Structure formats: structure tokens, C-alpha cells
Amino acid sequence: MIYDVIIVGSGPAGLSAAIYAMRAQLSVLVLEKEYMSGGQMLNTYEVDNYPGLPGIGGFELGLKFREHAEKLGVKFITIEVKHIEQEQEGRVKVLYTNREEFRTRTVVLAMGARHRTLGVPGESELAGMGVSYCATCDGAFFKERTVAVVGGGDVAVEDALFLARGCEKVYLIHRRDELRAAKLLQEQLKKCSNVEMIWDTEVEEIRGEDHVECLKLRNKKTGAERILILDGVFIAAGTIPNTGIVTKMLHLDKNGYIPAAEDGITEIPGIYAAGDIRTKQLRQIVTAVSDGANAISSVEAYLNNEI
Ligand code: NAP
């Protein structure tokens, strides 16, 4: 069988694409690596910025998206795609997995991205219990509390600025003595009286019983140890896009994302990128969902022109 569209990934972008593809009466298949749909949403304790569903659990929202897609008849297969090729004759794309091959006229790449972790003791144990990778998602839970942001890029500084509006105190912990964030952001940061920089410092441990209580820090230049008491820590050490299966067929931008605008169109006709995997300003559930819908609109236009 040759599908109209195969969607790789079942986070919010992939599930939204699947829903739009079914409603467009396309033959669609979703290939998902994990047994659970939802992607990064599954690790989000509470989602407070998805319109209409304030405070919904990330896990629950993932289930709702999946149920919606299943209700429309979307077929899911749990399988790991290894690589994708275009057949020499015609424009059919072949997806190779560890078990079988799938043929399709179009592909929506929605494999998402993962946050870079610090890899220190306490980080995974306290994830969602004061350790967060998304200030705009979780910042509101730390109103009038003390938090730290770890990182020195645009996201770290934007997170610190965002958190400074509601938190009593924000520490920005960076492993070097200068930020890589845009100068304009750095200027804004200097104006925040409740943000304190901690330079040349690495987090060695995140401690707490059932919630973050303190960080064990080490100054890289002096070797001095410091215990920082706080309520939460936001890790902004960059993200890693899950582009492994397409590195041989598509050029990526300098950060490893697939260059594509809102329409999801990539350099290969019939292959689209949606969600966190593409170059974009804001990586959120709401923007991923939008990408899924837009990618299917592009798929429809492509298939209509092909006939
Ligand atoms: P980024 O620019 O890669 O910065 C990651 C930061 O985390 C760096 O400061 C890095 O330190 C630090 N870091 C990495 N691994 C670490 C570790 N193990 N321990 C401690 N610190 C660690 O990532 P980003 O801030 O997520 O931004 C990603 C891309 O999106 C960038 O190109 C950025 O410009 C872009 N962006 C743009 C905007 C905007 O234009 N408004 C907004 C957001 C993001 P070092 O500096 O020492 O390497």
C-alpha cells in the first residue's frame, strides 16, 4: 500500500497533523517510537497555557489528543523509523524501520526535540517537582518564590526575565563569565533588581526530599562550593532536535533544526517538518499543534498538484 501521508512522531504536532489528515480524507499512518503518544507533554506535570484547558496535566492532554485521533480512525504503529529514502522513479518515499518498510506519497516529520539535561544527581528524580525545562509552562507555579535558571543563552535570559516578573528572587547560574545571549536581552536583565548573576559556576547536584530544596554549586575558577536554597530550578541548557533519521537527506540549520517556515515545506518536495523539529521562534504545545495543521494543508496542496 502507498499512503497519502505518513507522520513520524506522535507529540502534539504529529497528532494534530493526523487529525487534520483524517478530516481531509487522506490515507494516513502515524509511526511512533514510544508506546505512549504525547511526546514532551508526557513529562509536563501541569500545562497552564493551553487555551481552554487551564491546569490540565500534560499526560492527560496527550491522552486527549490521542483519543481524538483514534476516534477519527487514525492508525498508529509503534516502531522506530531508521531512515527515509525517495524511490528513484516516481516520488514515493520509503520509510525503513527495524521491522518493515512503509511507502507513502508524503511525510510529515514531527519527531520533536528534547531538552539538554545537566546530567547531575537529583535532576531526573526531581523533574516536575521543582526541576523544569520550560519557564513559560511552569513559571506561574513559583510566584513570589526563589528560583534559579541554569544557562547563558537567549532562552536562559528570556526565562530569567520572564520569571523575574512573578518570582521574589531569580538567580541566573552560568558556567562562564559572559553570556552568549543577545546584548539587548542582557541589557534588559541588568535592569531587573531581583535577578542575581552567579558566574563561572556549575550545578553539581539538585537536592530535595520530594521537591527541590537547594542546589550544590561549584565555582569553576576558585573551586569554592556553595549551597543555594531555593524552590525551583529552570534548566535552559539548549535543546537537541530529534533529527537523526533525516541527517543524510536534509540540510539542517546551525542548531540542528530542519529549516522550514510555518507551512512546513522542506527542501524535498513532499517532505514536511512540524513542531519542535523545525526552525521557529516559540516551541510550545500550541505552536506544535498549529504546525501539524499547516503541514497537512501543504500536503493537500502537494497531492492535488501531483494528480
Ligand atoms: P544555546 O544558545 O545553545 O545556549 C545554551 C546555554 O546553555 C549556553 O549558554 C551554554 O553554555 C549552556 N549550557 C549548555 N550545556 C550546559 C551544561 N551541561 N551545563 C551548564 N550550562 C550548559 O540554547 P538556547 O538558549 O536554548 O537557544 C537555542 C537557539 O535558539 C539559539 O540559537 C538562540 O539564539 C535561539 N533563540 C533565539 C531567541 C530570540 O531570538 N529571541 C530566543 C530563544 C532562542 P555556554 O555558553 O558556555 O556554551
Side-chain angles (χ1 to χ4, degrees), residues 209-231:
E209 272 297 309
D210 51 11
H211 201 273
V212 170
E213 291 167 18
C214 67
L215 303 180
K216 182 182 162 209
L217 306 177
R218 176 88 54 196
N219 184 296
K220 288 174 73 188
K221 283 189 178 158
T222 64
E225 185 186 304
R226 173 178 176 186
I227 300 295
L228 187 69
I229 309 284
L230 39 61
D231 305 294

mmCIF file of all heavy atoms in Angstrom, residues 209-231:
data_model
loop_
_atom_site.group_PDB
_atom_site.id
_atom_site.type_symbol
_atom_site.label_atom_id
_atom_site.label_comp_id
_atom_site.label_asym_id
_atom_site.label_seq_id
_atom_site.Cartn_x
_atom_site.Cartn_y
_atom_site.Cartn_z
ATOM 1 N N GLU A 209 13.818 16.516 49.230
ATOM 2 C CA GLU A 209 13.145 15.264 49.592
ATOM 3 C C GLU A 209 12.145 14.875 48.504
ATOM 4 O O GLU A 209 12.373 13.979 47.729
ATOM 5 C CB GLU A 209 12.424 15.439 50.943
ATOM 6 C CG GLU A 209 13.287 15.138 52.153
ATOM 7 C CD GLU A 209 13.761 13.684 52.206
ATOM 8 O OE1 GLU A 209 12.901 12.796 52.080
ATOM 9 O OE2 GLU A 209 14.976 13.452 52.350
ATOM 10 N N ASP A 210 11.003 15.618 48.457
ATOM 11 C CA ASP A 210 10.039 15.366 47.391
ATOM 12 C C ASP A 210 9.831 16.610 46.543
ATOM 13 O O ASP A 210 8.934 16.674 45.713
ATOM 14 C CB ASP A 210 8.710 14.864 47.965
ATOM 15 C CG ASP A 210 8.214 15.768 49.068
ATOM 16 O OD1 ASP A 210 8.780 16.871 49.223
ATOM 17 O OD2 ASP A 210 7.262 15.375 49.759
ATOM 18 N N HIS A 211 10.675 17.617 46.756
ATOM 19 C CA HIS A 211 10.626 18.853 45.979
ATOM 20 C C HIS A 211 11.992 19.517 46.088
ATOM 21 O O HIS A 211 12.684 19.315 47.090
ATOM 22 C CB HIS A 211 9.539 19.798 46.547
ATOM 23 C CG HIS A 211 9.095 20.804 45.546
ATOM 24 N ND1 HIS A 211 9.741 22.006 45.373
ATOM 25 C CD2 HIS A 211 8.084 20.782 44.655
ATOM 26 C CE1 HIS A 211 9.128 22.669 44.396
ATOM 27 N NE2 HIS A 211 8.115 21.957 43.949
ATOM 28 N N VAL A 212 12.358 20.281 45.060
ATOM 29 C CA VAL A 212 13.668 20.930 45.093
ATOM 30 C C VAL A 212 13.800 21.824 46.329
ATOM 31 O O VAL A 212 12.921 22.635 46.622
ATOM 32 C CB VAL A 212 13.883 21.785 43.810
ATOM 33 C CG1 VAL A 212 15.125 22.654 43.943
ATOM 34 C CG2 VAL A 212 13.998 20.872 42.593
ATOM 35 N N GLU A 213 14.913 21.660 47.041
ATOM 36 C CA GLU A 213 15.159 22.477 48.238
ATOM 37 C C GLU A 213 16.424 23.313 48.095
ATOM 38 O O GLU A 213 16.502 24.426 48.604
ATOM 39 C CB GLU A 213 15.262 21.581 49.474
ATOM 40 C CG GLU A 213 13.911 20.953 49.834
ATOM 41 C CD GLU A 213 14.023 19.821 50.846
ATOM 42 O OE1 GLU A 213 15.058 19.720 51.536
ATOM 43 O OE2 GLU A 213 13.077 19.024 50.938
ATOM 44 N N CYS A 214 17.434 22.773 47.433
ATOM 45 C CA CYS A 214 18.675 23.544 47.256
ATOM 46 C C CYS A 214 19.525 22.976 46.127
ATOM 47 O O CYS A 214 19.285 21.860 45.653
ATOM 48 C CB CYS A 214 19.477 23.584 48.550
ATOM 49 S SG CYS A 214 20.126 21.989 49.051
ATOM 50 N N LEU A 215 20.506 23.777 45.704
ATOM 51 C CA LEU A 215 21.476 23.341 44.694
ATOM 52 C C LEU A 215 22.846 23.327 45.327
ATOM 53 O O LEU A 215 23.179 24.215 46.115
ATOM 54 C CB LEU A 215 21.517 24.326 43.511
ATOM 55 C CG LEU A 215 20.221 24.606 42.750
ATOM 56 C CD1 LEU A 215 20.496 25.611 41.634
ATOM 57 C CD2 LEU A 215 19.637 23.323 42.180
ATOM 58 N N LYS A 216 23.638 22.342 44.938
ATOM 59 C CA LYS A 216 25.050 22.352 45.321
ATOM 60 C C LYS A 216 25.817 22.888 44.109
ATOM 61 O O LYS A 216 25.753 22.296 43.013
ATOM 62 C CB LYS A 216 25.511 20.944 45.685
ATOM 63 C CG LYS A 216 26.964 20.896 46.142
ATOM 64 C CD LYS A 216 27.364 19.446 46.436
ATOM 65 C CE LYS A 216 28.866 19.317 46.467
ATOM 66 N NZ LYS A 216 29.317 17.997 46.065
ATOM 67 N N LEU A 217 26.480 24.025 44.316
ATOM 68 C CA LEU A 217 27.174 24.696 43.214
ATOM 69 C C LEU A 217 28.680 24.638 43.418
ATOM 70 O O LEU A 217 29.155 24.534 44.546
ATOM 71 C CB LEU A 217 26.747 26.178 43.149
ATOM 72 C CG LEU A 217 25.251 26.473 43.071
ATOM 73 C CD1 LEU A 217 25.021 27.982 43.080
ATOM 74 C CD2 LEU A 217 24.641 25.844 41.824
ATOM 75 N N ARG A 218 29.401 24.748 42.310
ATOM 76 C CA ARG A 218 30.870 24.790 42.388
ATOM 77 C C ARG A 218 31.369 25.891 41.455
ATOM 78 O O ARG A 218 31.021 25.907 40.272
ATOM 79 C CB ARG A 218 31.448 23.446 41.943
ATOM 80 C CG ARG A 218 32.953 23.395 41.884
ATOM 81 C CD ARG A 218 33.607 22.993 43.178
ATOM 82 N NE ARG A 218 33.111 21.748 43.726
ATOM 83 C CZ ARG A 218 33.311 21.364 45.004
ATOM 84 N NH1 ARG A 218 33.985 22.128 45.836
ATOM 85 N NH2 ARG A 218 32.825 20.215 45.445
ATOM 86 N N ASN A 219 32.148 26.828 42.034
ATOM 87 C CA ASN A 219 32.760 27.871 41.209
ATOM 88 C C ASN A 219 33.930 27.248 40.459
ATOM 89 O O ASN A 219 34.838 26.682 41.070
ATOM 90 C CB ASN A 219 33.231 29.046 42.070
ATOM 91 C CG ASN A 219 33.770 30.177 41.211
ATOM 92 O OD1 ASN A 219 34.765 30.027 40.509
ATOM 93 N ND2 ASN A 219 33.090 31.321 41.273
ATOM 94 N N LYS A 220 33.908 27.362 39.127
ATOM 95 C CA LYS A 220 34.927 26.684 38.308
ATOM 96 C C LYS A 220 36.303 27.328 38.441
ATOM 97 O O LYS A 220 37.306 26.680 38.230
ATOM 98 C CB LYS A 220 34.493 26.704 36.838
ATOM 99 C CG LYS A 220 33.330 25.757 36.565
ATOM 100 C CD LYS A 220 32.823 25.892 35.157
ATOM 101 C CE LYS A 220 33.785 25.295 34.149
ATOM 102 N NZ LYS A 220 33.377 25.599 32.765
ATOM 103 N N LYS A 221 36.325 28.635 38.756
ATOM 104 C CA LYS A 221 37.623 29.314 38.842
ATOM 105 C C LYS A 221 38.272 29.121 40.212
ATOM 106 O O LYS A 221 39.471 28.892 40.315
ATOM 107 C CB LYS A 221 37.455 30.802 38.539
ATOM 108 C CG LYS A 221 37.304 31.068 37.045
ATOM 109 C CD LYS A 221 37.343 32.531 36.699
ATOM 110 C CE LYS A 221 37.231 32.714 35.185
ATOM 111 N NZ LYS A 221 36.761 34.036 34.820
ATOM 112 N N THR A 222 37.471 29.236 41.272
ATOM 113 C CA THR A 222 38.049 29.159 42.619
ATOM 114 C C THR A 222 37.908 27.778 43.244
ATOM 115 O O THR A 222 38.578 27.465 44.228
ATOM 116 C CB THR A 222 37.339 30.161 43.549
ATOM 117 O OG1 THR A 222 35.963 29.749 43.667
ATOM 118 C CG2 THR A 222 37.396 31.584 43.004
ATOM 119 N N GLY A 223 36.973 26.976 42.694
ATOM 120 C CA GLY A 223 36.722 25.654 43.255
ATOM 121 C C GLY A 223 35.815 25.692 44.480
ATOM 122 O O GLY A 223 35.498 24.646 45.061
ATOM 123 N N ALA A 224 35.369 26.897 44.854
ATOM 124 C CA ALA A 224 34.541 27.038 46.057
ATOM 125 C C ALA A 224 33.170 26.386 45.881
ATOM 126 O O ALA A 224 32.555 26.483 44.824
ATOM 127 C CB ALA A 224 34.376 28.516 46.397
ATOM 128 N N GLU A 225 32.715 25.750 46.951
ATOM 129 C CA GLU A 225 31.396 25.113 46.957
ATOM 130 C C GLU A 225 30.389 26.050 47.613
ATOM 131 O O GLU A 225 30.742 26.809 48.524
ATOM 132 C CB GLU A 225 31.484 23.800 47.736
ATOM 133 C CG GLU A 225 30.208 22.995 47.714
ATOM 134 C CD GLU A 225 30.300 21.769 48.625
ATOM 135 O OE1 GLU A 225 31.228 20.968 48.443
ATOM 136 O OE2 GLU A 225 29.439 21.640 49.503
ATOM 137 N N ARG A 226 29.143 26.003 47.135
ATOM 138 C CA ARG A 226 28.105 26.850 47.727
ATOM 139 C C ARG A 226 26.781 26.102 47.689
ATOM 140 O O ARG A 226 26.473 25.431 46.696
ATOM 141 C CB ARG A 226 28.010 28.143 46.901
ATOM 142 C CG ARG A 226 26.876 29.047 47.287
ATOM 143 C CD ARG A 226 26.890 30.316 46.440
ATOM 144 N NE ARG A 226 25.751 31.160 46.735
ATOM 145 C CZ ARG A 226 25.437 32.259 46.091
ATOM 146 N NH1 ARG A 226 26.198 32.694 45.103
ATOM 147 N NH2 ARG A 226 24.372 32.968 46.417
ATOM 148 N N ILE A 227 26.014 26.210 48.745
ATOM 149 C CA ILE A 227 24.666 25.628 48.768
ATOM 150 C C ILE A 227 23.681 26.779 48.596
ATOM 151 O O ILE A 227 23.706 27.750 49.356
ATOM 152 C CB ILE A 227 24.389 24.879 50.095
ATOM 153 C CG1 ILE A 227 25.401 23.740 50.303
ATOM 154 C CG2 ILE A 227 22.946 24.347 50.136
ATOM 155 C CD1 ILE A 227 25.343 22.605 49.283
ATOM 156 N N LEU A 228 22.854 26.665 47.576
ATOM 157 C CA LEU A 228 21.894 27.733 47.280
ATOM 158 C C LEU A 228 20.485 27.223 47.597
ATOM 159 O O LEU A 228 19.983 26.298 46.962
ATOM 160 C CB LEU A 228 22.018 28.117 45.792
ATOM 161 C CG LEU A 228 21.224 29.317 45.315
ATOM 162 C CD1 LEU A 228 21.778 30.611 45.915
ATOM 163 C CD2 LEU A 228 21.260 29.401 43.784
ATOM 164 N N ILE A 229 19.854 27.833 48.589
ATOM 165 C CA ILE A 229 18.495 27.428 48.987
ATOM 166 C C ILE A 229 17.494 28.067 48.026
ATOM 167 O O ILE A 229 17.556 29.278 47.785
ATOM 168 C CB ILE A 229 18.172 27.919 50.429
ATOM 169 C CG1 ILE A 229 19.284 27.528 51.413
ATOM 170 C CG2 ILE A 229 16.797 27.454 50.899
ATOM 171 C CD1 ILE A 229 19.307 26.095 51.832
ATOM 172 N N LEU A 230 16.589 27.271 47.489
ATOM 173 C CA LEU A 230 15.573 27.816 46.576
ATOM 174 C C LEU A 230 14.393 26.850 46.425
ATOM 175 O O LEU A 230 14.379 25.776 47.038
ATOM 176 C CB LEU A 230 16.180 28.154 45.195
ATOM 177 C CG LEU A 230 17.225 27.202 44.595
ATOM 178 C CD1 LEU A 230 16.670 25.837 44.374
ATOM 179 C CD2 LEU A 230 17.761 27.761 43.297
ATOM 180 N N ASP A 231 13.409 27.258 45.615
ATOM 181 C CA ASP A 231 12.196 26.457 45.448
ATOM 182 C C ASP A 231 12.122 25.741 44.098
ATOM 183 O O ASP A 231 11.381 24.771 43.943
ATOM 184 C CB ASP A 231 10.960 27.360 45.590
ATOM 185 C CG ASP A 231 10.961 28.117 46.893
ATOM 186 O OD1 ASP A 231 10.852 27.463 47.940
ATOM 187 O OD2 ASP A 231 11.097 29.354 46.865
#
